[in-house]
Amino acid sequence: ARFIPLGDQKSFLKDCFAGDQKEGNNNKVEEVASKGGCGCAPKDISGQKQENRREWIKVQDFCDSSLLSLVLERGRLLLSCSDSQFSMNSNNLEDDEYNRENQMLHNLDLSAPSSNTQDYLRERISLQRSILARRLGFGGILSSSIVQNSHEGNLNDIIKDEDLVKSSESSTRTSNMSARERNVKRLQKRKTVDNTNALKSKKVKLKEDGDNEDEVDDSKIRKLILLSLGEYSKEEGYSSRIFLSQRNPQTLLATDLLYHSFHPSWHIRHGSLLGLSALLRSWRSRVEDAEERNTRSHNDEKEPSSFGKWPQDILARCICVLALDRFGDYSGPVIEMDQSKKTEVTALAPVREVAAQVLSFLLVMAPLNAQTACIEVLQSLTQCDSAWEVRHGAILAFKYISDLNMDIISFWKSIPTIVIQGLYDDNDDVRGASAQTISHILTSEKSDAREKNLLEERIEGICRSCSYPVWKSLREVHVSSSCCLELLHCLCNLIEYDCGLFLQMIRSHAHESNLSPMEELLQKLCAILSFESASVRLFCLKTLSLIIEPITHYILKMNGSITDEDNNGQCESIKGVLQVYSNILYALFQSFFSDVHLMSENEGKMQHGDKHRVGHEEETTDIFTISQSAREKTWTKLVDSINCMIQHKRASDDSRDDILCDTVLNLLLSLVKVTLPQYSSRCWVYKITSKLSNQYRCLSSATNAFVMLCKSVANINRIESYLIITISTLLKSPWPEQCELGSTLVGALANQGDKTFPNLFEQCKPILIKAIESMPTCLQIDSNSTLEAIRSEASMQNICFSAMETVLQKYGNHHKSQNVIVDSHISTITKIWSDAFRRYNINLYDGIGGLQISPSSTSMRLLSTNCHAVISIGQDCLPSKLTPIIRALVTLIKNEESHSRSNTACCAIVQLILILQKSDDEQHSKVWKKIVTNMCGMACIHRLSDSIPKGYTRRGCRQAKIVIQMLIAQTSAAHTLQEIAPLWSRLNPLNCQVSANQSDTDILNAIVLMESISLSLKKDTKMCSHASSIMLPSITLLACTSPVAICRQVSVNIASKLCEIDTRNTMPIILPLILKYLRSSGDDPSRLGACRLLNTIVRSLDTALCQYVRYLIPVVMSMMIDPLKQCADLSASTFSRLVRVAPLVQTESKSTETLPALLSDGWNESCSVKVIDHLILGKPLPQYKMPKEIDDVIRGKGVILRQYQIDGIAWLLFLKSLKLNGCLCDEMGLGKTIQAL
């Protein structure tokens, strides 16, 4: 479409109905059209008088309700018939009509070679439009064919031989299917046909024998287009094909696309409308650009584009498609013509979607009267009671019109009524389209301030009128309804636009429910959270995160003047909202264990190398990660709101405490249930031996969320008692999963020395230490298959869990009694468990003798979790012997496949080191230094190393690097690396004050360790400045001169990272060293290393390099002609980076104090200024005057240089002064040779 001449595009878009733009009488239009036509009447296909048929229509024609009713009543319905899905009913008379119409077109095409070209073109287009009129139910013709009589000659005389395509070639060209595939497809079609029907049998026979006819038809269409392309008009003085006229092919193409927009197969209708949209968008864009250029050249005001017969006709027929299309069984993404728009919903009716897009696009071009008429017609379609598809199509049109933000008064007046009516529609799809329309309006943008203010006023009015209908529709719809997602999305947009206004509007409408509107809204969202669709849950979470905080503030604000009793159903009870919040918390908590995405391994693909950062995991954008983030955000908002409500409670009101205690107890029991298959009704059961690390991540996330809630309600007495009873019992459980859960809870509650629950830690401390020093009961059972089978019985699980649940509930009922002792409840639970196992002659807590316990993944993981819990409590909980703790943690990081578990162990090791560093005990000092020495030994092994020392593993070496990074990150900013003695001793080879007589192995180990350290250094810290000043010279030396490739590469990475962290302090150190090696002309490896290092630094610093660009440009330019090709290529790459930053450099500001060494060492300031001013900023070159001796010689020869030739000489001299290569480009014969000479 872009290559069609601009004049023909303008003609297509701007040609009017014979110059008559008014909603005129049809007789006048018919008369004028007949005068401009060729006088060739199309064939009569209906038996009616020709002058009563409509070939061209306008949207204004439908303002007459009788014509619109005619289309709805007599128009041929566009069903979902397609070759791959449904066949039309064999008894339908329309089936015969389609066959008859196709046969007429086929017969006309067969007669084309013997007919006059223009007569044939007019007859074919007129016949197609007559068929369209018949399909729309008009049955009459308004005017004759509009194809102008601009060509003469016979078809066979004009078409060139090379343009002809044989039928077989055409078939091969248009289809990639083999003959067998075509036969199979034909047989599949035949199966859908009723063989008992004579008419249908005839149709099958035509399909079997009609391949050649189809090929003739395709070839004929192509001949027509080639025919019109082959002719062109010759303008005066020109015979070029640039002035080719393509009016005939574009008319033929557009007519054919429009004709197929009413094809019985939905995918052909869909493709035709997409094609029309592509043509219109391309042509309109080029025409508007041409008009804008013409307006600027004449300094005139831009005149609005006229809206010609073609756009008017297409606009009217899009309305007909919206009214007649009945296909709505599709599920897939919307195909947006504007690729910049991101669609979040799926298309139910693709044909109506695209028709609505084309209609909205044309409406921008249309005059005001056509816009108003279109809005009026669409509004009447929304009132159609006969078919929901008609209402759906009209509302889709309004949805895309709302994107345009056009100032159509009728649109803004009618849109609230239309969308509200659609929200109350009986059909879910109509309701969904109405919700989408509101969302489109709310997300509209305006750049102009005046238009923005006007749009804001209109949007606020729509929010006021639509807030309650959206909520009412969502309240009444079932969560599995097809419109639930659209309603949720709309609700989310309304709340995001103005939450206060939304809450005000839903509260202003009373309803029959006993609950207040806010409580009912929250309960509905809570119910939606249990739905399986991840997209629905995601929008629900987003809505909750937006609405919880405003609801809480409103309730607390009203709490001073309104009691908790419901005031005529309009005042929200704090107790009621708190109960709903608790229900939402429980639903959110259950989603941690019900997400099907947790059944697949999503972790475990951690990137190696430079991505060994603290806590680094592969970035993912899947639905699991997004849902996890949304859930955590919503949970945090809920906990904060609950905390605010607790602080505002009355002293005599214990009902809120009861609600929160019940919530904590239910969540705690949910955590326990997930470890028992007997009680897990969700998608998965947690197993400590599982290789799905997402399960462990999920359990950790759920535990952290639970701990956040517990800490916010810690002032309630029962909370700590619940935790003590449950966790103490879990730590003694015969199931390792429950033991691990207990330790995980302790670790989360005591994170970083938190003392919120001191009694809990005192109770759990001896149990944890005993579990570390001697094998716990669960591991003893795990080592015996017979005992393990007994433990796995459903009855045993039921007894043990019921005991815990019963005791906890009993404690909750008698919590006010001062005589209740927590220890007695723990003893009650463990006694029930012991009695249950004693029936199988097993002494659960008296030791199970005769068992040989072997190391396993279960024991490794459980012991590591126990150690983490002990360390989290703090130094007071550490046992006298630390060897079991250290051994368990180091064993896990060496062998654990799950990065989540391994990172947890790394955190525990770092936390232990920091605790021991603060201790005054000399033995503790020796222990932490030994741990750091061990971690440094593993961290020094490069990931590409061929051999691993005995006792090490690749996993251990990778995790040891993470331990070092965590240690550096958590060490005080006032410390230096030298104060971590084991670390500093490993880095000694990089100390510039130490002798360079170091082995290659020591140097490589030091440089690999320093790479890990550099990833955790922070700007403006003593540790960073100390490392840069002491080790950067040695690192630069290794990056430029080391003979070991790995050592060079790692050194480059370190130097680049240090410069990125602290550019101001590191660049004065490293740049003189780089320049020194760049000038070593006799040492190619050092020069290449320096080029590679400089290139890496420039690429990493980007705009932070501005103050050094002026100093680097001359150096890099000189290296671009280095005899070593690798140096020249790297320098060219570096120069291209410097050029991108150079426009930000102020050449006037010298700032020479920053680089005194460079300034005193031959810095060419003139070269930098020239490059930045003339090559980059584009300032004119200095004026050039020819030397007198040269000027005299050439003038003596009769040569007088023109000004542009003098400028060319100045350009070449400028390039020579910079030692740059370049080109002097000009037309032939303008004196390039004399300039070069």
Side-chain angles (χ1 to χ4, degrees), residues 712-732:
S712 69
V713 297
N715 293 331
I716 303 176
N717 295 330
R718 277 174 286 169
I719 299 300
E720 185 172 18
S721 299
Y722 280 149
L723 294 175
I724 292 175
I725 295 172
T726 306
I727 295 177
S728 299
T729 308
L730 290 175
L731 292 175
K732 300 177 181 180

Side-chain angles (χ1 to χ4, degrees), residues 968-1013:
I968 297 299
Q970 296 185 36
T971 301
S972 174
H975 289 75
T976 64
L977 291 175
Q978 197 168 359
E979 296 178 42
I980 307 176
L983 203 64
W984 184 252
S985 63
R986 287 278 184 174
L987 298 174
N988 258 337
L990 302 181
N991 191 337
C992 60
Q993 299 176 355
V994 177
S995 173
N997 297 326
Q998 301 284 347
S999 67
D1000 292 341
T1001 303
D1002 292 341
I1003 293 175
L1004 180 59
N1005 290 342
I1007 206 71
V1008 171
L1009 180 60
M1010 187 61 201
E1011 182 183 27
S1012 300
I1013 295 173

Side-chain angles (χ1 to χ4, degrees), residues 557-766:
K557 180 180 178 181
M558 300 297 291
N559 187 40
S561 58
I562 302 177
T563 64
D564 279 351
E565 288 133 11
D566 198 10
N567 183 12
N568 296 327
Q570 295 302 301
C571 180
E572 288 73 14
S573 163
I574 292 183
K575 178 181 176 182
V577 174
L578 192 61
Q579 181 64 60
V580 179
Y581 280 0
S582 299
N583 295 339
I584 296 174
L585 279 175
Y586 186 78
L588 272 177
F589 201 73
Q590 294 302 312
S591 68
F592 279 104
F593 314 110
S594 61
D595 222 326
V596 294
H597 297 86
L598 299 178
M599 295 304 295
S600 61
E601 179 62 58
N602 230 1
E603 200 191 18
K605 296 182 179 179
M606 186 177 186
Q607 297 292 329
H608 302 300
D610 297 338
K611 292 189 178 181
H612 278 130
R613 297 182 180 273
V614 179
H616 170 80
E617 291 182 359
E618 184 182 9
E619 295 182 2
T620 56
T621 56
D622 56 12
I623 193 68
F624 167 73
T625 306
I626 297 172
S627 299
Q628 187 92 338
S629 175
R631 178 170 52 204
E632 291 174 359
K633 182 178 180 180
T634 305
W635 184 276
T636 303
K637 291 284 184 72
L638 280 167
V639 172
D640 292 342
S641 297
I642 289 173
N643 194 26
C644 291
M645 290 183 174
I646 294 174
Q647 295 175 4
H648 286 77
K649 75 172 185 176
R650 290 188 293 273
S652 59
D653 184 12
D654 291 334
S655 59
R656 302 179 199 176
D657 291 354
D658 293 338
I659 293 173
L660 294 173
C661 286
D662 290 343
T663 301
V664 170
L665 180 58
N666 290 332
L667 298 183
L668 198 53
L669 292 175
S670 296
L671 274 174
V672 177
K673 283 182 180 180
V674 82
T675 63
L676 299 172
Q678 176 69 15
Y679 287 92
S680 180
S681 59
R682 297 294 179 173
C683 295
W684 55 273
V685 179
Y686 177 72
K687 297 293 291 182
I688 194 172
T689 56
S690 174
K691 294 184 178 181
L692 300 178
S693 62
N694 277 338
Q695 287 195 1
Y696 177 77
R697 288 172 58 195
C698 183
L699 184 68
S700 299
S701 299
T703 303
N704 292 331
F706 174 75
V707 167
M708 182 191 299
L709 176 63
C710 289
K711 289 182 178 181
S712 69
V713 297
N715 293 331
I716 303 176
N717 295 330
R718 277 174 286 169
I719 299 300
E720 185 172 18
S721 299
Y722 280 149
L723 294 175
I724 292 175
I725 295 172
T726 306
I727 295 177
S728 299
T729 308
L730 290 175
L731 292 175
K732 300 177 181 180
S733 173
W735 285 273
E737 289 81 9
Q738 293 187 356
C739 290
E740 185 185 39
L741 175 60
S743 299
T744 304
L745 283 168
V746 173
L749 288 165
N751 185 31
Q752 297 181 350
D754 193 318
K755 301 298 182 182
T756 306
F757 303 104
N759 297 328
L760 169 66
F761 303 141
E762 287 297 327
Q763 184 79 26
C764 296
K765 175 181 174 180

Side-chain angles (χ1 to χ4, degrees), residues 122-246:
R122 283 190 293 273
E123 284 189 32
R124 195 179 198 283
I125 293 175
S126 182
L127 177 57
Q128 282 183 315
R129 289 192 165 271
S130 298
I131 292 173
L132 286 182
R134 183 180 182 85
R135 291 181 180 179
L136 293 178
F138 295 155
I141 294 179
L142 181 63
S143 63
S144 302
S145 172
I146 54 88
V147 180
Q148 297 184 6
N149 188 11
S150 58
H151 300 287
E152 296 180 1
N154 187 273
L155 180 70
N156 291 330
D157 295 335
I158 298 176
I159 294 182
K160 309 301 179 184
D161 292 340
E162 60 270 18
D163 291 335
L164 294 176
V165 179
K166 297 181 181 179
S167 298
S168 59
E169 294 177 356
S170 176
S171 176
T172 305
R173 209 179 182 107
T174 58
S175 175
N176 293 325
M177 291 191 300
S178 64
R180 181 181 180 279
E181 290 173 332
R182 286 198 298 272
N183 289 332
V184 170
K185 184 177 180 181
R186 200 154 41 230
L187 289 173
Q188 290 175 345
K189 294 179 187 177
R190 203 183 306 170
K191 292 178 181 179
T192 62
V193 180
D194 186 358
N195 293 323
T196 61
N197 186 284
L199 179 62
K200 213 64 176 174
S201 298
K202 180 179 179 181
K203 181 177 179 179
V204 172
K205 187 175 186 305
L206 288 174
K207 281 184 176 291
E208 291 175 350
D209 301 331
D211 282 349
N212 291 333
E213 295 175 359
D214 292 338
E215 292 165 359
V216 171
D217 184 37
D218 293 341
S219 179
K220 198 62 61 180
I221 294 297
R222 188 173 186 277
K223 286 180 182 178
L224 285 171
I225 295 177
L226 291 173
L227 163 68
S228 297
L229 286 173
E231 299 182 5
Y232 54 90
S233 58
K234 295 183 179 180
E235 300 291 337
E236 185 176 356
Y238 293 91
S239 60
S240 172
R241 295 176 69 93
I242 295 175
F243 297 93
L244 172 71
S245 174
Q246 298 186 4

Side-chain angles (χ1 to χ4, degrees), residues 1052 1067 1071 1074-1075 1078 1087-1103 1105 1108-1121 1125-1143 1171 1176 1220:
V1052 167
M1067 290 297 285
L1071 279 182
I1074 293 176
L1075 295 181
L1078 287 177
R1087 203 166 65 256
L1088 178 59
C1091 287
R1092 186 179 291 110
L1093 176 58
L1094 181 59
N1095 181 263
T1096 304
I1097 293 174
V1098 169
R1099 293 171 71 91
S1100 64
L1101 294 185
D1102 203 27
T1103 55
L1105 199 68
Y1108 308 103
V1109 169
R1110 295 168 53 243
Y1111 308 100
L1112 292 176
I1113 280 181
V1115 178
V1116 175
M1117 287 172 55
S1118 65
M1119 293 300 298
M1120 289 168 61
I1121 55 173
K1125 186 178 185 303
Q1126 289 175 292
C1127 289
D1129 291 343
L1130 285 169
S1131 300
S1133 174
T1134 305
F1135 181 72
S1136 69
R1137 291 278 174 169
L1138 293 174
V1139 166
R1140 293 173 57 188
V1141 181
V1171 171
I1176 298 173
L1220 285 179

